[in-house]
Amino acid sequence: MLSPTLIVLVLVVVYPIISALRESLYTSGDRVGADGFVIQGSEFVGLKNYTAIFSGETGDRFWNAFGNTTFFTVTCVVLETVLGVAMALVMHKAFRGRSIVRASILVPWAIPTVVSALLWKWIFQADGAANALLGTQILWSTEGWQSVLSVIIADTWKTAPFIGLLVLAGLQTIPDEVYEAAKVDGASPWQTFVRITLPLVKPALLVAVLFRILDTLRIFDLPFVLVGPNKSSVETLSILAYLEANQTRYGPAAAYATLLFIYVAVVAFVFVKLLGADVLGDAVKKKKKNGKSDDKLSAPPGIGAAAGFGGGGGM
């Protein structure tokens, strides 16, 4: 029964990974050998492609791309998480026109990334809306802080609704009785948010943040289209691997891609282990295995014990 799924996974996941690992151990293209003759085709070089990455100008470029990738990931995910949670709280409220607000918030996420990048490129051009609004002439697509800021703004605008959508799904599973009990106990809105909403929505929030971290670590199309290639201020590991492959240096390109794959895998492992993101629903499975019913799993604990509110009194 699982064989069709396994076959698809092998074809689209396992085989490309193995092919990339193999390609990273070879060098290809026309080159002159030690005897002065032109060598064509692939040649096994072992770990030479990896060692070359960390030396000389190539090493400086790699660490610059590594730093840019990490900076974009941390900055964008933090901003997207804050805005996404705020969007979810707004979409969760009952008010007139809520469906219109929900649709308008989710529109940026539905737009393809390349289209979004072209839109922001038009906004950030010399005579675009951004300079007209600021009353200045900033060259957003040139080297410097402005290109970094433009990528952060565009990425946050596009993908913050994704986190908001997943958090909204978590908010809708919280019973209204919990908030009513908090009001009776005299909890303030901030105490309700910190001690009730965040703990109960934590599983959905962690999964959303994990997905965004993994996606931002592979960021390519947004800075590539918005700012352009060969810009050291926004060059990421994915862009670096693409540029190497575009110059038919497939061995070094595969080495860059392999290092990025290892980086993403390590970050995902550490995130799941340290923060306890229940991506596969293991926590629910363990509780069911221990004989606990579904009602106990879904029902929130007593408001006084879970939220730390005093019984019947204000804080």
Side-chain angles (χ1 to χ4, degrees):
M1 297 294 290
L2 292 177
S3 58
T5 302
L6 294 177
I7 292 174
V8 173
L9 289 176
V10 168
L11 292 176
V12 302
V13 178
V14 179
Y15 176 72
I17 292 176
I18 295 176
S19 298
L21 290 174
R22 179 191 176 279
E23 188 66 32
S24 67
L25 304 178
Y26 287 80
T27 183
S28 59
D30 297 341
R31 58 202 176 278
V32 179
D35 53 2
F37 291 97
V38 177
I39 303 175
Q40 295 181 341
S42 299
E43 179 185 3
F44 181 79
V45 294
L47 299 178
K48 185 178 179 180
N49 289 328
Y50 292 96
T51 57
I53 289 177
F54 300 99
S55 60
E57 295 182 0
T58 304
D60 295 338
R61 191 175 183 182
F62 168 78
W63 288 116
N64 175 71
F66 181 86
N68 291 339
T69 302
T70 305
F71 176 77
F72 281 136
T73 300
V74 174
T75 306
C76 292
V77 171
V78 169
L79 293 175
E80 291 162 10
T81 301
V82 175
L83 292 178
V85 172
M87 291 177 180
L89 294 175
V90 171
M91 291 186 291
H92 186 61
K93 293 292 183 180
F95 56 89
R96 185 184 298 273
R98 182 175 64 172
S99 58
I100 299 177
V101 173
R102 286 184 176 182
S104 60
I105 289 177
L106 296 178
V107 164
W109 179 59
I111 298 176
T113 305
V114 174
V115 177
S116 177
L118 291 174
L119 170 65
W120 282 99
K121 187 175 184 178
W122 172 77
I123 294 175
F124 285 125
Q125 64 184 4
D127 56 347
N131 284 339
L133 182 64
L134 297 175
T136 184
Q137 287 293 325
I138 299 177
L139 301 178
W140 296 93
S141 60
T142 57
E143 291 281 8
W145 62 268
Q146 64 276 5
S147 60
V148 177
L149 182 60
S150 65
V151 172
I152 293 175
I153 293 174
D155 188 69
T156 303
W157 174 83
K158 173 172 172 48
T159 53
F162 171 77
I163 294 182
L165 183 63
L166 294 187
V167 174
L168 176 62
L171 288 174
Q172 291 179 339
T173 63
I174 303 176
D176 295 335
E177 292 79 5
V178 176
Y179 294 106
E180 294 174 359
K183 290 182 180 179
V184 172
D185 285 341
S188 65
W190 175 250
Q191 292 170 335
T192 302
F193 173 74
V194 173
R195 298 191 178 185
I196 295 178
T197 303
L198 278 184
L200 294 180
V201 85
K202 177 184 175 182
L205 179 59
L206 288 180
V207 171
V209 171
L210 176 60
F211 285 170
R212 283 303 306 139
I213 289 177
L214 301 184
D215 196 29
T216 311
L217 285 173
R218 299 178 290 105
I219 188 172
F220 167 80
D221 40 6
L222 187 62
F224 188 86
V225 176
L226 177 58
V227 180
N230 298 313
K231 302 291 180 63
S232 61
S233 56
V234 297
E235 189 172 68
T236 62
L237 292 175
S238 296
I239 294 178
L240 197 55
Y242 168 81
L243 294 177
E244 289 292 315
N246 193 46
Q247 298 297 322
T248 67
R249 295 191 288 265
Y250 301 117
Y256 283 121
T258 301
L259 291 177
L260 177 59
F261 169 76
I262 295 174
Y263 185 28
V264 172
V266 170
V267 170
F269 178 81
V270 172
F271 186 89
V272 172
K273 287 298 181 181
L274 292 183
L275 297 183
D278 188 19
V279 180
L280 302 177
D282 294 335
V284 176
K285 294 179 182 178
K286 290 180 180 179
K287 290 183 179 181
K288 288 184 177 180
K289 187 176 181 180
N290 293 333
K292 294 184 179 181
S293 64
D294 294 341
D295 294 338
K296 293 182 180 180
L297 292 175
S298 59
I303 192 64
F309 300 137
M315 296 191 66

